[in-house]
Amino acid sequence: MSRKNGHGNALKSRFHDNFRRLFLSTALAVATLTAPAIQAQMPSSDGPPPLILVSIDGFRPDYLNRNVTPNLNALAATGVRAEAMHPSFPSKTFPNHYTLVTGLRPDRHGIVDNTMEDSAIPGVRFHYSNQAAVTDRRWWDQAEPIWVSAEKNGIRAATMFWPGSEAPIQGVRPSEWKVFNGKLPANDRVDTLLGWLDRPVAQRPGFLTLYFDNVDHAGHEFGPDARQTTAAAQLVDAAIGRLLQGLEKLHIDANLVIVADHGMAAISSARAIRFDLIAPAGSYRMVTSGPYAGIEAAAGQDGILAEAILKPHDHMQCWRKENIPPRLHYGKNPRVPSFFCLAELGWVIAPNAKAADRTIGGTHGYDNLAPEMEALFIASGPAFERQVVLAPFENVDVYPLMMKLLGLQALPSDGNLTPFARALKGARPALK
Ligand code: AMP
Ligand code: ZN
Ligand code: ZN
């Protein structure tokens, strides 16, 4: 089942042991769950089977070891799973969701943060809760997401939430899309997606997304190790079970790619870095703060700010954007602020005492290679081999995989298909 890859650490080997135990104990359930899918017949159609991209925001792969996710464990055991998937930097929601559907790292696709400014879009601050911003194609137009390519090639796309899906990117929206509503229950999201699939083949979407935020919300509020986070994983797993049952009822043998955008690390007010005690008041403006900080110097204050922050600090390192270490692939995009500070994992850069005191629960955004930032990857369906465990790979590779599953030529990206060599079934008519 498991293969060693030389990236081992305590977290991962615990994962392997637990996974093996879990695999044995759930083998029977797995057989029951998959039997109908094998018999299911695809309605006759020229195109490939529908591809459903599911994101469970903030789901770390080790959450599978908590014995509350039978559906995800069954899919992981019978289909393809990665030991881990590395997010792109910064390990935040909007940057990584756009990476997953473009194959580009945030510096290249332009969604460099959940909060951004751009002198080419003056007077506006991008934030995921700013409806005017998320629907403004100018923020998204530096890349072409898979649903735009699909629609351009005659494959209908339907998005049950996904960052970017509300904007007419390059003038194209998915055939079906929804205004984001974080309060919509997980099961309702599943039912909406199943409704889109319950159509004659000619009108059925060929590419769909499904998004769950419960696990991320609990992770932030209570931390990755809290029972509330485990309960959220259980709730989303049940929604996945509902999806599988619904597909079975519709006799649709879809390809499922289930991912997370990043992991989660525990934080504490005992690990807050007071930025206001480091940089002189009036010398800067913070664009973002938290696991990292993006900072602009106040007018005429560049030298003073640089002197205060570009020296060694406990639990934090700062750079001018052009000097951010190359392995983070970050800083070339004009939307990245001029100065950038990154906290050590589990530490938080706080603008003031109040923010420092409020530091509880969990967060993400850290170094994308930190084990705690690792993300879930499971794939299952007619295009995939069975019982394959992949060595860790980067999330930029998901885009070329999905384009292949749709039979489309991938646009130039930062990803490639190499990690999936053992995961994909051999020559299939649908896989050009
Ligand atoms: P963060 O965990 O800080 O990176 O941000 C995640 C937040 O983004 C969560 O509160 C989600 O509810 C929110 N979110 C996820 N998708 C969307 C979307 N398509 N539109 C608006 N907000 C979203
Ligand atoms: Zn997220
Ligand atoms: Zn989050």
Side-chain angles (χ1 to χ4, degrees), residues 57 93 216 220 262 264 364:
D57 199 314
T93 297
D216 180 69
H220 281 294
H262 51 69
M264 188 65 70
H364 52 88

Side-chain angles (χ1 to χ4, degrees), residues 281-337:
S283 71
Y284 65 93
R285 184 171 63 81
M286 280 179 117
V287 181
T288 55
S289 60
Y292 58 80
I295 305 132
E296 297 291 357
Q301 299 290 304
D302 185 278
I304 289 175
L305 178 63
E307 197 189 328
I309 69 174
L310 298 181
K311 61 185 183 194
H313 298 282
D314 289 342
H315 314 295
M316 173 178 88
Q317 197 173 354
C318 302
W319 308 272
R320 285 186 190 274
K321 66 184 283 187
E322 55 272 26
N323 297 329
I324 296 172
R327 69 174 190 78
L328 296 175
H329 300 281
Y330 199 63
K332 290 198 171 65
N333 198 292
R335 295 173 183 173
V336 176

Side-chain angles (χ1 to χ4, degrees), residues 214 222 305 366 393 398 431:
N214 315 62
F222 305 106
L305 178 63
Y366 297 105
F393 59 86
V398 173
L431 297 178

Side-chain angles (χ1 to χ4, degrees), residues 57 92-94 114 128 162-163 166 180 211 213 216-217 220 262 364:
D57 199 314
K92 289 262 185 172
T93 297
F94 267 52
N114 286 344
Y128 56 71
W162 200 271
E166 294 171 54
F180 184 73
Y211 171 79
D213 35 13
D216 180 69
H217 284 183
H220 281 294
H262 51 69
H364 52 88

Side-chain angles (χ1 to χ4, degrees), residues 25-49:
S25 69
T26 55
L28 219 151
V30 167
T32 318
L33 190 114
T34 53
I38 296 163
Q39 288 154 14
Q41 291 297 306
M42 269 300 296
S44 62
S45 151
D46 291 331

